[in-house]
């Protein structure tokens, strides 16, 4: 249990270090595309979450089960399903 705890704590640490920009995305969207775009659902919720997930995933974030890979990613990496 302790080994799993340490491994998952490290993953959370890595994820939090790469997603630091998430609160600033709506501000940047508002500056580039206008206030309405920055305060919309896409500019203030969907885009920041998507960007944060992709940066965390890009540095090797491991989620519970299958090392955080979906079926397509597992197939592309030659891992058994």
């Amino acid at each position: 249990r302790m080994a799993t705890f340490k491994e998952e704590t490290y993953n959370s640490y890595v994820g939090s270090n790469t997603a630091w920009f998430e609160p600033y995305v709506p501000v940047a969207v508002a500056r580039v595309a206008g206030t309405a775009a920055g305060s919309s659902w896409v500019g203030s919720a969907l885009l920041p979450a998507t960007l944060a997930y992709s940066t965390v995933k890009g540095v090797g974030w491991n989620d519970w089960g299958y090392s955080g890979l979906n079926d397509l990613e597992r197939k592309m990496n030659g891992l058994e399903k």
Side-chain angles (χ1 to χ4, degrees):
R1 288 184 181 191
M2 187 53 106
T4 301
F5 172 76
K6 288 178 183 177
E7 184 177 308
E8 295 306 318
T9 302
Y10 174 74
N11 295 333
S12 296
Y13 170 75
V14 169
S16 63
N17 282 326
T18 59
W20 61 268
F21 64 86
E22 189 174 4
Y24 303 106
V25 173
V27 176
V29 170
R31 184 157 296 201
V32 171
T35 306
S39 61
S40 70
W41 175 76
V42 172
S44 66
L46 181 64
L47 186 60
T50 303
L51 292 173
Y53 177 78
S54 53
T55 59
V56 169
K57 186 85 168 178
V59 296
W61 174 52
N62 294 319
D63 202 352
W64 292 102
Y66 300 126
S67 297
L69 300 176
N70 63 32
D71 290 343
L72 176 61
E73 292 167 331
R74 290 177 49 96
K75 184 178 178 182
M76 290 170 53
N77 287 294
L79 303 172
E80 293 180 280
K81 185 172 180 183

